[in-house]
């Protein structure tokens, strides 16, 4: 046996004791991504919508000034790293889109102002459509015909729909019943974790009408804003959108299928201003039609929710005819946001636009401008998101006359990484 010199032995010992650099993988890039998102979230309370990953990944210190340059450099480095490693193609694609959005939001927090359409594309991976004022004028004519009478169209509309306000003393009963029914319909088709649940709260002084704060481990906190009167149609809307098969189910399925089953830790954090939100909001709105298709909804509301609310159901069909026409005007809100955020009109002008083209009462229109201030181009995720999701589901065979197929394709969409680009 050959003698080994003391120097060689020392070198071998030092090499053995020196920590070896980990090979770069998509999984450790995902960990770096999560930590970056959590650090950015320290400087903007709206940035992180949910986190249910390892406690030790949370940042323990915050700099006195916003380190935008460091955040942007780290995002760019992660994008380059993702493109250099092996891994699931869709997983890598979505992660890059999420990082582009995070980088953009850092720039916005730091004072950069993007035009509305460019901001929406960078944050949500979608180009919002634009409609001329004449388009909305033509839609108002349909409402004029549906609501004949004296006075302005807005006055006639609000006088009609005020008959369908849920009395405050009946609000909780109506909402709990609507959520229970939405849950029953969803659970009949999806196997969610046995422990899944939610807590329902009523809040005030918010810019939104409802919100789901996903807590992890298949638990949600659902909040309903009671600042303004709530119409009967909002019970099913919010039950499905915030709960079943909307946000609560979406987050539970992502956690179950991607985080727990596949170990994709990037889905343990949900940055709100990201492409994930277009899928989240679009699917939550489309989920209303999945759970309560067509006449089924109206029939259920007439038989169950109207009596619980103490409302006369004799005009329910007319009410939903009008609501259908109002729904066609949803993109008018996007136009108001675009003009307002681009500095083309004032807050008051934006509110008046929505009073005219969405028939909002003045107080509700002003509440909407608060939403524009807080969430900016996020507004596209509700209507454009729903349209993109609907087109995708129907292209996969999930049409209204194939309800079981629709539930199946919808679940597949909710359970996998997607952005607007991947569902076109």
């Amino acid at each position: 046996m050959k003698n080994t010199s003391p120097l060689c032995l020392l070198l071998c010992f030092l090499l053995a004791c020196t920590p070896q650099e980990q090979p770069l993988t998509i999984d450790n890039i995902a960990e770096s991504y999560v930590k970056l998102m959590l650090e950015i979230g320290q400087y903007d309370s709206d940035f992180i919508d949910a986190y249910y990953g390892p406690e030790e990944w949370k940042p323990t210190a915050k700099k006195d000034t916003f380190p935008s340059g460091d955040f942007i450099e780290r995002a760019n480095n992660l994008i380059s790293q993702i493109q250099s490693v092996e891994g699931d193609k869709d997983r890598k694609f979505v992660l890059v889109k999420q990082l582009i959005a995070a980088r953009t939001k850092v720039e916005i927090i730091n004072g950069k102002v993007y035009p509305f359409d460019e901001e929406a594309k960078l944050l949500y991976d979608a180009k919002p459509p634009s409609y001329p004022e004449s388009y909305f004028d033509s839609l108002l004519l349909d409402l004029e015909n549906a609501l004949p009478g004296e006075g302005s169209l807005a006055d006639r509309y609000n006088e009609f729909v005020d008959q369908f306000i849920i009395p405050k003393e009946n609000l909780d009963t109506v909402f709990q019943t609507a959520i229970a029914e939405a849950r029953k319909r969803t659970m009949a088709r999806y196997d969610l974790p046995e422990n899944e649940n939610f807590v329902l709260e009523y809040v005030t002084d918010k810019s939104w009408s409802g919100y789901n704060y996903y807590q992890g481990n298949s638990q949600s906190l659902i909040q309903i804003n009671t600042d303004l009167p709530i119409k009967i149609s909002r019970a099913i809307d919010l039950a499905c959108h915030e709960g079943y098969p909307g946000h609560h189910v979406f987050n539970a399925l992502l956690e179950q299928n991607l985080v727990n089953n596949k170990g994709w830790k990037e889905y343990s954090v949900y940055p709100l201003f990201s492409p994930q939100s277009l899928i989240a909001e679009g699917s939550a709105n489309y989920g209303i039609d999945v759970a309560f298709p067509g006449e089924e909804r109206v029939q259920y509301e007439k038989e169950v929710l109207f009596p619980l609310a103490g409302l006369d159901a004799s005009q329910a069909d007319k009410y939903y005819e009008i609501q259908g026409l109002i729904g066609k005007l949803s993109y008018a809100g996007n136009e108001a946001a675009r003009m307002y955020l681009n500095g083309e009109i004032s807050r008051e002008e934006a509110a008046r636009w929505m009073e005219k083209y969405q028939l909002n009462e003045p107080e509700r229109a002003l509440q909407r401008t608060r939403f524009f201030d807080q969430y900016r181009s996020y507004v596209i995720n509700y209507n454009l998101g729903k349209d993109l999701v609907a087109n995708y589901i129907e292209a996969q065979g999930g049409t209204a006359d194939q309800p079981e197929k629709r539930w199946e394709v919808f679940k597949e969409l909710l359970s996998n990484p997607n952005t607007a680009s991947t569902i076109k």
Side-chain angles (χ1 to χ4, degrees):
M1 182 173 177
K2 198 170 183 181
N3 288 332
T4 304
S5 72
L7 180 59
C8 287
L9 288 171
L10 177 61
L11 287 172
C12 290
F13 175 77
L14 290 173
L15 285 171
C17 294
T18 302
Q20 300 301 302
E21 189 173 317
Q22 282 189 328
L24 189 64
T25 67
I26 189 66
D27 286 331
N28 51 39
I29 292 172
E31 179 178 334
S32 297
Y33 161 82
V34 173
K35 291 175 178 177
L36 174 60
M37 297 303 104
L38 294 175
E39 287 184 50
I40 297 170
Q42 293 179 107
Y43 300 89
D44 184 333
S45 60
D46 290 323
F47 184 78
I48 298 296
D49 194 69
Y51 177 64
Y52 42 89
E55 190 68 22
E56 61 269 23
W57 287 6
K58 290 183 178 179
T60 56
K62 177 182 176 182
K63 291 183 171 62
D64 292 334
T65 56
F66 182 52
S68 58
D70 174 59
F71 289 154
I72 291 169
E73 182 181 0
R74 287 163 63 187
N76 287 336
N77 286 340
L78 290 175
I79 290 170
S80 297
Q81 289 172 6
I82 291 166
Q83 293 165 342
S84 71
V85 299
E86 296 297 319
D88 183 283
K89 183 179 68 173
D90 290 339
R91 181 187 184 187
K92 289 169 58 179
F93 180 84
V94 173
L95 195 46
V96 167
K97 291 290 185 180
Q98 293 285 109
L99 281 160
I100 290 170
R103 182 181 66 193
T104 303
K105 186 59 181 177
V106 167
E107 293 174 331
I108 292 170
I109 294 171
N110 203 43
K112 184 167 185 177
V113 178
Y114 282 100
F116 181 89
D117 289 355
E118 186 179 356
E119 177 188 300
K121 178 66 175 174
L122 289 167
L123 292 179
Y124 308 114
D125 190 35
K127 181 181 179 183
S130 182
Y131 297 92
E133 192 168 354
S134 58
Y135 170 77
F136 303 113
D137 284 329
S138 66
L139 293 176
L140 287 183
L141 287 176
D142 294 332
L143 275 163
E144 288 278 4
N145 294 329
L147 286 170
E150 300 296 320
S152 70
L153 176 59
D155 287 343
R156 278 178 276 145
Y157 169 74
N158 286 305
E159 182 180 349
F160 176 73
V161 297
D162 280 352
Q163 304 171 68
F164 303 95
I165 293 172
I166 305 171
K168 281 201 170 182
E169 63 270 19
N170 298 336
L171 202 58
D172 187 57
T173 300
V174 171
F175 269 98
Q176 294 283 5
T177 303
I179 293 173
E181 180 65 20
R183 182 178 187 272
K184 184 179 80 171
R185 292 175 179 227
T186 303
M187 298 293 278
R189 293 167 175 85
Y190 296 169
D191 292 324
L192 296 179
E194 288 184 9
N195 68 313
E196 69 81 25
N197 205 354
F198 66 92
V199 172
L200 181 62
E201 291 182 351
Y202 301 93
V203 297
T204 57
D205 195 27
K206 303 294 181 183
S207 64
W208 36 258
S209 56
Y211 210 106
N212 179 303
Y213 293 96
Y214 190 66
Q215 312 289 294
N217 196 29
S218 302
Q219 307 296 304
S220 286
L221 169 62
I222 297 175
Q223 293 187 335
I224 306 297
N225 183 11
T226 59
D227 280 343
L228 299 173
I230 299 176
K231 311 293 193 301
I232 188 68
S233 58
R234 296 299 286 154
I236 290 294
D237 285 352
L238 291 170
C240 293
H241 183 102
E242 307 299 343
Y244 305 85
H247 291 325
H248 176 66
V249 172
F250 177 58
N251 285 305
L253 288 175
L254 287 183
E255 182 180 18
Q256 182 183 45
N257 295 317
L258 299 186
V259 180
N260 296 341
N261 294 347
K262 291 189 175 182
W264 294 5
K265 294 299 185 185
E266 65 266 35
Y267 287 93
S268 66
V269 68
Y270 175 10
L272 186 66
F273 304 98
S274 71
Q276 187 174 336
S277 282
L278 181 136
I279 303 297
E281 301 295 359
S283 63
N285 271 352
Y286 184 70
I288 301 167
D289 298 330
V290 175
F292 291 88
E295 288 302 312
E296 275 190 40
R297 171 178 178 163
V298 181
Q299 196 62 34
Y300 175 78
E301 295 202 7
K302 285 196 292 189
E303 292 177 359
V304 179
L305 297 188
F306 273 76
L308 285 176
L311 300 176
D312 179 8
S314 64
Q315 293 202 73
D317 292 321
K318 180 70 172 178
Y319 174 66
Y320 279 102
E321 176 196 346
I322 299 301
Q323 291 304 103
L325 294 173
I326 286 290
K328 294 179 180 180
L329 287 162
S330 74
Y331 280 96
N334 292 24
E335 295 299 333
R338 177 187 279 112
M339 292 185 290
Y340 172 61
L341 294 172
N342 284 347
E344 298 167 16
I345 59 176
S346 67
R347 179 188 305 279
E348 292 72 24
E349 289 170 322
R352 286 196 293 272
W353 172 278
M354 288 182 289
E355 288 173 40
K356 178 178 180 181
Y357 288 115
Q358 294 196 297
L359 305 186
N360 290 160
E361 293 170 312
E363 193 175 2
R364 191 173 295 278
L366 281 172
Q367 182 194 51
R368 194 66 179 156
T369 65
R370 286 179 57 200
F371 188 94
F372 298 162
D373 289 333
Q374 187 171 358
Y375 297 105
R376 298 184 55 81
S377 60
Y378 193 93
V379 296
I380 74 161
N381 294 325
Y382 298 100
N383 42 29
L384 178 58
K386 179 183 177 180
D387 289 346
L388 291 175
V389 167
N391 292 340
Y392 173 80
I393 299 291
E394 289 165 14
Q396 306 302 310
T399 52
D401 60 344
Q402 298 289 334
E404 293 304 321
K405 181 66 174 178
R406 182 154 68 169
W407 277 103
E408 176 190 326
V409 179
F410 189 65
K411 182 181 181 182
E412 183 185 347
L413 173 72
L414 298 183
S415 305
N416 291 286
N418 281 292
T419 78
S421 294
T422 64
I423 65 170
K424 282 183 179 176

